[in-house]
């Protein structure tokens, strides 16, 4: 335990000191020791004036306001105190306009190609017929949904909301780590983090020239409206949640409130004559667009899992009849399968005739014989991922794994090659982050949110996730990660 | 408004009110009973449990009635679904499930209140509860204040008003029932009787308002009349029922479809209760007749609750379709 005297001394220490170590990584703030990149200069000048005591005070104020506002997520597998706030770091990440410009064009291009791909595999299947992507990969994907074949969806858009995870390598190049096309979460943290930053560092905002993101809910609503059945401009849009006990419930309720739409649970909806209605105090009201935060498998107990209590019996028939739009569509999971991810650059060539603006992380498919022998020979150097898992589960980080873990994965890869891919260990870029009274470099990633409806658009920003355990490469909230506000600057 | 949302608002409001009421009853009697003799004090603590209606449950968990046991039972004992802790948890869960329908301020207040009781030093509260009690009361009242000031006074608001007033009316009836039985055995005008009457009034925050209305000596009949029949005091039974009836009226008329059978029923039941009290002469129900009257009121309050549930929360699904089909279903 620290003595009071020691605590007092440390609380008057500046948080920016000579101890900050860039290491062998790409550091987002510092070009070289003590020299900030131009877009971080104002921020660093401000941080230099703060001591640990003041900073700690502001941090606590922000944490308490998150807790009181109920901005929490639920951790499973623990008894009491299951509600936690998603740790928030007050040092923002800054992205210059020119960099953002590339990301915006790159992500729009990628999501456009993915939507072409989804339309294609559920209709003509040209890309398979022309052997640009192996048929067995597509049809063998766990989330390929046969019942979507020949079903037309409004504007041929399947992935209305995409959360693509980007990382930067040791040279600062942005790479796509994965596309999340099934109800990506976290956007509420992006919005709430900005609010918290404005409360805490109001003065910094005055002269920094930070592009706003607050209009995200409006953009989302207009995207959802634009894909209503029969192009109805006054469509009734609702958000379907699994319920209060879902770990992302805060986000569901936050978005519904911001959009001014009803948040419904399965039991609030009924099907009649292939139309969907919600039960209100004034009787039944028809629903046109469902922004669903429920997985495919649980949507309709008549079509998928019979034990689902959070679904709506008859929903799939109403959907197939074209009387209701689901966002995202059913079956988008086939495109964020990690083996199919490897073919996204090919999709961009094939459907758009363009060069990919953003690169993938080099990926080896255990499915291919050559790749597999390479993976098995280099398990200790690679990151192995299960193709269907997300959230940092089912992963092997070779350089940090024990021999037994490696052997376990070796057996699984040999038994089920289709289920695994491997990527070289990328040394993720690092960002100064407040830990125990001073700034330390922590690994980060970036998840911008791409909206696709009548047009494809992004709000300038995203969720920057940070690995708060020293040296950890995993940034997921369920694995001890936190987040930062992300500032995209004006030109 | 979604039926589920209406139901959550209604119960959120009832549970907050219940937490506040139990806290108040506990505060008032905690102080009054410190002055009483031991055997009186045991009886006094028992009467507190009776007010909540959870006597059998208490007996299963505690051997005897004491300040410590009863406080623990009413505040947070895990066996008691109506303990203040349980009520605030329920209120918060209901609020959480309708986060997007209530104002940010309401949510912040209910959260603060919840964490207040969840994280409080429990043994310190049992030693000296006064400050804690005022915090809960302030928290609940602040919540009701911001509800009034920040929530649109539309349909959802009326469900909140309805829940709050039905809960209050019920608690006032129960306080009156238990305390009146005690006072009735005492000689009017003795210090013991006066002490009980003061505790009865304070249990509803009615002491000073009563004093302003009746500047004379404390008389049992007047106290009963005030708590039952006042149309101005916000915790009097009649006041609460009138306000609840107004809410039901607004809910039933403010709609494009004709009032459903069930909605009409709750309106009628409340109307009958109000009429009975409005034309009541307190002299006719003193003594032995008080208890049956109050029991009847409690029974009707339960009935109203059921009717509201059927009218708005568990509505029978009548599907839109061809006319003939609808007529068939209505038969």
């Amino acid at each position: 335990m620290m003595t009071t005297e020691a605590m007092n001394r440390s609380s008057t220490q500046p948080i920016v000191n000579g101890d900050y170590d860039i290491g062998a990584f790409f550091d987002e703030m510092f070009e070289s020791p003590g020299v900030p990149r131009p877009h971080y200069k104002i921020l660093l000048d401000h941080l230099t004036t703060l001591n640990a005591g003041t900073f700690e005070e502001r941090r606590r104020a922000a944490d308490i306001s998150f807790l009181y506002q109920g901005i929490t997520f639920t951790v499973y597998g623990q008894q009491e105190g299951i509600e936690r706030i998603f740790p928030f770091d007050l040092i923002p990440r800054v992205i210059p306009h020119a960099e953002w410009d590339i990301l915006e064009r790159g992500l729009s291009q990628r999501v456009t190609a993915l939507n072409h791909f989804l339309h294609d595999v559920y209709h003509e299947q040209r890309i398979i017929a022309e052997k640009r992507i192996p048929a067995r990969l597509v049809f063998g994907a766990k989330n390929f949904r046969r019942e979507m074949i020949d079903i037309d969806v409004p504007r041929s858009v399947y992935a209305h909301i995409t959360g693509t995870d980007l990382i930067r390598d040791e040279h600062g190049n942005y790479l796509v780590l994965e596309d999340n096309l099934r109800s990506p979460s976290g956007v509420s943290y992006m919005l709430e983090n900005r609010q918290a930053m404005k409360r805490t560092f109001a003065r910094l905002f005055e002269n920094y020239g930070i592009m706003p993101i607050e209009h995200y809910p409006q953009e989302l609503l207009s995207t959802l409206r634009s894909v209503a059945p029969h192009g109805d401009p006054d469509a009734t849009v609702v958000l379907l949640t699994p319920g209060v006990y879902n770990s992302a419930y805060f986000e569901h309720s936050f978005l519904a409130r911001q959009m001014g739409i009803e948040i419904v649970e399965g039991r609030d909806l009924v099907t009649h004559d292939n139309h969907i209605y919600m039960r209100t105090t004034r009787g039944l009201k028809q629903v046109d667009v469902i922004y669903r935060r429920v997985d495919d498998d649980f949507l309709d107990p008549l079509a998928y899992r019979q034990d689902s209590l959070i679904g709506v019996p008859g929903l799939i028939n109403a959907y197939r009849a074209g009387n209701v739009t689901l966002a995202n569509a059913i079956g988008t999971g086939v495109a964020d399968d990690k083996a199919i991810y490897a073919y996204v650059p090919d999709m961009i060539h094939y459907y758009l005739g363009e060069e990919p603006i953003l690169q993938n992380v080099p990926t080896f498919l255990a499915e291919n014989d050559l790749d597999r022998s390479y993976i098995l020979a280099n398990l200790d150097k690679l990151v192995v991922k299960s193709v269907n898992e997300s959230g940092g589960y089912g992963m092997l980080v070779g350089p940090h794994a024990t021999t037994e873990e490696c052997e376990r994965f070796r057996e699984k890869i040999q038994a089920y090659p289709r289920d695994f891919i491997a990527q070289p260990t990328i040394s993720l870029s690092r960002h100064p982050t407040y830990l125990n009274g001073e700034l330390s470099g922590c690994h980060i990633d970036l998840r911008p949110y791409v909206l696709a409806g009548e047009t494809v658009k992004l709000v300038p920003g995203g969720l920057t996730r940070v690995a708060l355990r020293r040296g950890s490469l995993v940034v997921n909230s369920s694995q001890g990660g936190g987040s930062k506000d992300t500032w995209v600057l004006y030109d | 408004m979604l039926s589920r949302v209406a139901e959550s608002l209604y119960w959120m409001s009832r549970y907050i009110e219940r937490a506040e009421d139990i806290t108040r009853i506990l505060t008032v009697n905690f102080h009054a009973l410190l002055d009483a003799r031991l055997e009186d004090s045991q009886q006094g603590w028992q009467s507190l449990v009776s007010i909540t209606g959870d006597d059998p449950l208490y007996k299963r968990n505690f051997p005897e009635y004491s300040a410590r046991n009863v406080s623990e039972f009413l505040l947070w004992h895990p066996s008691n679904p109506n303990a203040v802790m349980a009520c605030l948890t329920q209120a918060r869960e209901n609020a959480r499930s309708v986060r997007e329908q209530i104002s940010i301020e309401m949510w912040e207040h209910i959260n603060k209140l919840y964490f207040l009781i969840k994280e409080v030093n429990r043994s310190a509260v049992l030693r000296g509860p006064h400050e804690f009690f005022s915090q809960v009361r302030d928290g609940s009242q602040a919540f009701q204040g911001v509800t009034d000031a920040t929530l649109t006074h539309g349909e959802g608001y009326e469900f909140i008003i309805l829940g709050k007033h039905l809960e209050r009316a019920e608690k006032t009836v129960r306080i009156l029932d238990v305390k009146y039985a005690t006072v009735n055995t005492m000689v009017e005008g003795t210090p013991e009787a006066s002490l009980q009457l003061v505790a009865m009034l304070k249990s509803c925050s009615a002491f000073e308002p009563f004093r302003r209305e009746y500047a004379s000596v404390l008389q049992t009949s007047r106290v009963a009349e005030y708590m039952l029949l006042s149309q101005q005091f916000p915790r009097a039974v009649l006041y609460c029922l009138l306000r609840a009836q107004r809410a039901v009226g607004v809910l039933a008329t403010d709609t494009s479809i004709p009032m459903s059978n069930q909605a009409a029923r709750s309106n009628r039941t409340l109307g009958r209760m109000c009429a009975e009290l409005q034309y009541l002469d307190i002299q006719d129900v003193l003594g032995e007749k008080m208890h049956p009257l109050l029991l009847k009121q409690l029974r009707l309050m339960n009935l109203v609750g059921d009717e509201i549930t059927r009218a708005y929360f568990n509505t029978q699904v009548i599907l839109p379709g061809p006319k003939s089909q609808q007529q068939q279903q209505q038969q």
Side-chain angles (χ1 to χ4, degrees):
Chain A
M1 250 186 95
M2 261 201 262
T3 62
T4 321
E5 202 190 327
M7 279 173 70
N8 286 343
R9 216 175 327 122
S10 72
S11 75
T12 58
Q13 298 274 319
I15 60 167
V16 182
N17 55 33
D19 296 345
Y20 186 80
D21 179 20
I22 293 178
F25 302 97
F26 181 87
D27 192 278
E28 298 279 347
M29 187 185 281
F30 294 102
E31 261 167 27
S32 55
V35 183
R37 299 179 194 281
H39 49 280
Y40 274 101
K41 183 150 188 334
I42 305 176
L43 176 65
L44 185 65
D45 287 347
H46 186 76
L47 292 177
T48 311
T49 66
L50 299 176
N51 64 38
T54 338
F55 195 85
E56 193 65 37
E57 219 169 85
R58 294 192 187 182
R59 199 178 66 91
R60 216 169 298 143
D63 279 358
I64 287 175
S65 103
F66 277 116
L67 187 66
Y68 281 167
Q69 290 180 57
I71 307 176
T72 55
F73 70 98
T74 313
V75 182
Y76 295 104
Q78 297 182 4
Q79 273 194 329
E80 274 277 328
I82 45 169
E83 254 178 75
R84 290 230 203 113
I85 60 169
F86 187 24
F88 173 58
D89 181 60
L90 281 176
I91 316 282
R93 180 222 202 120
V94 185
I95 300 178
H97 195 85
E99 255 172 45
W100 176 255
D101 197 50
I102 297 168
L103 295 182
E104 186 172 23
R105 284 188 291 117
L107 290 169
S108 304
Q109 178 193 51
R110 198 168 170 99
V111 167
T112 307
L114 283 166
N115 272 311
H116 279 294
F117 171 72
L118 283 163
H119 179 82
D120 190 21
V121 297
Y122 291 125
H123 290 79
E124 300 85 3
Q125 303 178 337
R126 284 190 297 129
I127 198 166
I128 298 166
E130 294 179 25
K131 304 205 185 309
R132 303 290 289 263
I133 182 167
R136 62 176 195 285
L137 270 193
V138 175
F139 300 132
K142 185 176 151 224
N143 290 302
F144 179 78
R145 299 284 180 187
R146 275 167 189 73
E147 60 277 23
M148 285 300 289
I149 287 179
D150 285 339
I151 300 296
D152 291 325
V153 298
R155 296 186 191 276
S156 294
V157 174
Y158 289 76
H160 308 90
I161 301 110
T162 306
T164 296
D165 291 341
L166 299 165
I167 56 172
R168 296 181 85 174
D169 64 14
E170 64 269 36
H171 309 294
N173 298 319
Y174 284 95
L175 298 172
V176 176
L177 187 62
E178 62 184 46
D179 306 286
N180 294 284
L181 301 151
R182 292 169 285 168
S183 312
S185 63
V187 76
S188 60
Y189 296 111
M190 167 182 98
L191 296 167
E192 287 289 353
N193 287 354
R194 177 63 54 88
Q195 290 307 312
M197 286 305 284
K198 282 189 172 169
R199 278 196 298 269
T200 322
F201 289 112
R203 278 182 30 228
L204 258 182
F205 277 81
E206 278 172 34
N207 302 314
Y208 225 116
I210 302 157
M211 296 179 76
I213 52 170
E214 282 82 354
H215 54 298
Y216 177 83
Q218 283 323 304
E219 297 288 359
L220 174 58
L221 184 59
S222 68
T223 298
L224 294 170
R225 283 240 158 84
S226 76
V227 290
H230 324 299
D232 179 2
D234 297 320
T236 301
V237 182
V238 300
L239 186 153
L240 177 65
T241 175
V244 190
Y245 297 102
N246 185 268
S247 59
Y249 184 77
F250 162 73
E251 173 155 311
H252 305 163
S253 129
F254 175 88
L255 288 174
R257 199 171 63 238
Q258 294 283 318
M259 290 190 279
I261 63 174
E262 295 285 2
I263 176 170
V264 300
E265 295 177 19
R267 58 189 160 129
D268 295 322
L269 299 180
V270 290
T271 317
H272 178 64
D273 200 16
N274 281 344
H275 288 78
I276 302 292
Y277 300 88
M278 56 181 163
R279 300 149 66 108
T280 77
T281 51
R282 320 256 165 104
L284 297 180
K285 184 167 189 226
Q286 193 177 331
V287 170
D288 305 301
V289 180
I290 301 178
Y291 173 31
R292 48 100 171 202
R293 298 292 297 258
V294 170
D295 290 344
D296 286 359
D297 278 340
F298 293 92
L299 271 180
D300 181 349
L302 298 180
Y304 303 119
R305 287 181 56 154
Q306 291 173 22
D307 59 345
S308 171
L309 298 174
I310 55 177
V312 186
L315 176 58
I316 300 307
N317 276 343
Y319 181 56
R320 288 167 57 98
N323 293 326
V324 65
T325 303
L326 291 173
N328 290 354
I330 289 172
T332 51
V334 65
D336 67 8
D337 181 291
K338 290 192 175 64
I340 289 181
Y341 149 91
Y343 290 88
V344 176
D346 297 316
M347 293 176 200
I348 295 172
H349 285 130
Y350 182 73
Y351 294 112
L352 307 178
E354 295 171 8
E355 278 304 313
I357 299 168
L358 292 170
Q359 304 306 316
N360 270 6
V361 174
T363 302
F364 305 99
L365 308 182
E367 169 86 2
N368 300 342
D369 297 340
L370 269 178
D371 285 13
R372 186 169 60 253
S373 38
Y374 178 81
I375 295 172
L376 294 174
N378 293 283
L379 269 183
D380 56 333
K381 301 186 190 72
L382 298 170
V383 178
V384 181
K385 294 176 179 174
S386 160
V387 294
N388 293 312
E389 300 278 353
S390 59
Y393 295 101
M395 249 172 89
L396 176 81
V397 182
H400 295 202
T402 62
T403 326
E404 288 140 44
E405 284 171 323
C406 285
E407 283 316 303
R408 218 155 27 84
F409 266 80
R410 181 185 305 280
E411 283 167 27
K412 283 202 273 183
I413 293 168
Q414 282 166 333
Y416 308 102
R418 169 65 180 85
D419 290 349
F420 293 93
I421 59 142
Q423 294 167 339
T425 329
I426 306 276
S427 44
L428 301 188
S429 63
R430 296 204 313 188
H431 196 290
T433 300
Y434 180 82
L435 281 179
N436 307 323
E438 58 178 5
L439 298 188
S440 310
C442 291
H443 295 293
I444 58 169
D445 77 352
L446 173 65
R447 177 182 287 186
Y449 296 86
V450 187
L451 297 174
E454 193 177 0
T455 57
V456 177
K457 55 198 169 185
L458 290 85
V459 297
L463 182 67
T464 292
R465 297 184 299 177
V466 51
L468 290 173
R469 288 186 204 137
R470 242 178 252 266
S472 170
L473 291 170
V474 186
V475 292
N476 302 83
S477 58
S478 45
Q479 312 275 331
S483 72
K484 290 169 169 295
D485 192 14
T486 308
W487 294 356
V488 173
L489 304 182
Y490 279 110
D491 213 352
Chain B
M1 169 168 285
L2 288 178
S3 297
R4 178 177 53 80
V5 171
E7 187 171 16
S8 290
L9 291 174
Y10 172 83
W11 282 106
M12 170 193 76
S13 176
R14 279 199 85 140
Y15 276 119
I16 282 270
E17 180 65 33
R18 192 172 293 174
E20 184 192 329
D21 292 348
I22 293 171
T23 311
R24 179 179 297 101
I25 292 165
L26 203 50
T27 320
V28 169
N29 292 281
F30 202 91
H31 292 156
L33 289 168
L34 291 179
D35 299 336
R37 286 193 306 265
L38 184 66
E39 62 269 27
D40 290 350
S41 128
Q42 286 212 358
Q43 203 189 6
W45 286 113
Q46 178 169 13
S47 74
L48 290 200
V49 179
S50 308
I51 288 174
T52 63
D54 289 321
D55 236 344
L57 192 64
Y58 182 89
K59 285 197 192 115
R60 250 178 280 143
N61 288 284
F62 295 95
E64 58 188 16
Y65 293 93
S66 67
R68 200 187 167 84
N69 287 355
V70 171
S71 301
E72 196 185 341
F73 179 73
L74 293 181
L75 285 175
W76 44 58
H77 197 268
S79 74
N80 183 4
N82 291 318
V84 174
M85 180 77 223
C87 288
L88 289 179
T89 307
Q90 285 293 332
R92 179 168 177 266
E93 284 307 305
N94 276 295
R96 199 154 108 98
S97 71
V98 294
R99 227 353 260 281
E100 65 297 330
Q101 304 281 343
I102 60 178
S103 65
I104 291 170
E105 291 88 341
M106 287 168 72
W107 174 242
E108 285 185 8
H109 271 87
I110 210 165
N111 248 326
K112 257 191 233 174
L113 190 54
Y114 169 80
F115 284 113
L116 172 77
I117 186 161
K118 187 159 180 264
E119 283 159 12
V120 80
N121 178 339
R122 295 187 171 185
S123 49
V125 169
L126 294 177
R127 281 196 302 275
H130 185 71
E131 195 195 334
F132 174 70
F133 288 162
S134 9
Q135 281 175 321
V136 173
R137 189 200 55 210
D138 290 352
S140 159
Q141 291 181 348
F143 174 76
Q144 301 190 1
V146 296
T147 301
D148 187 69
T150 60
L151 185 69
T152 318
H153 286 205
E155 199 181 355
Y157 181 78
E158 294 301 331
F159 279 108
I160 290 176
I161 291 291
L162 182 57
K164 171 162 86 180
H165 286 90
L166 283 179
E167 184 67 30
R168 259 189 207 170
E170 187 194 314
K171 279 287 170 297
T172 304
V173 167
R174 285 184 186 279
I175 290 168
L176 192 56
D177 191 29
V178 171
K179 291 282 178 186
Y180 188 86
T182 318
V183 179
N184 207 25
T185 62
M186 297 175 169
V187 180
E188 184 99 74
T190 57
E192 291 79 24
S194 301
L195 204 65
Q196 285 296 329
L197 287 176
V198 172
M200 182 176 354
L201 285 165
K202 283 192 173 168
S203 297
C204 306
S205 290
F207 182 67
E208 288 179 16
F210 174 83
R211 274 303 192 197
R212 274 193 289 278
E213 189 103 0
Y214 302 87
S216 67
V217 288
L218 280 173
Q219 274 182 339
T220 313
S221 61
R222 289 194 169 160
V223 172
E225 180 175 41
Y226 190 68
M227 286 176 61
L228 199 54
L229 303 181
S230 169
Q231 296 193 28
Q232 274 98 46
F233 180 62
R235 292 182 180 277
V237 179
L238 180 54
Y239 176 93
C240 292
L241 292 177
L242 285 168
R243 187 62 191 88
Q245 196 199 6
R246 201 159 93 218
V248 165
V250 172
L251 289 173
T253 52
D254 182 25
T255 166
S256 46
I257 54 169
M259 197 193 287
S260 76
N261 255 342
Q262 293 296 338
R265 271 191 202 155
S266 60
N267 195 23
R268 190 167 58 223
T269 311
L270 271 169
R272 272 167 53 200
M273 294 167 79
C274 291
E276 176 165 13
L277 295 183
Q278 271 170 314
Y279 296 101
L280 185 77
D281 183 343
I282 196 73
Q283 296 302 329
D284 295 342
V285 293
L286 290 178
E288 299 301 308
K289 291 183 196 134
M290 183 62 82
H291 181 60
L293 171 79
L294 296 177
L295 271 191
K296 182 179 165 198
Q297 290 288 324
L298 284 180
R299 207 186 66 238
L300 289 174
M301 281 174 199
N302 276 336
L303 179 65
V304 170
D306 290 347
E307 285 166 347
I308 287 164
T309 301
R310 281 196 293 270
Y312 298 103
F313 309 152
N314 282 344
T315 41
Q316 294 255 301
V317 177
I318 299 171
L319 294 163
K323 269 232 161 99
S324 60
Q325 196 184 344
Q326 274 191 24
Q327 279 165 352
Q328 266 177 5
Q329 284 177 346
Q330 279 167 2
Q331 277 169 3

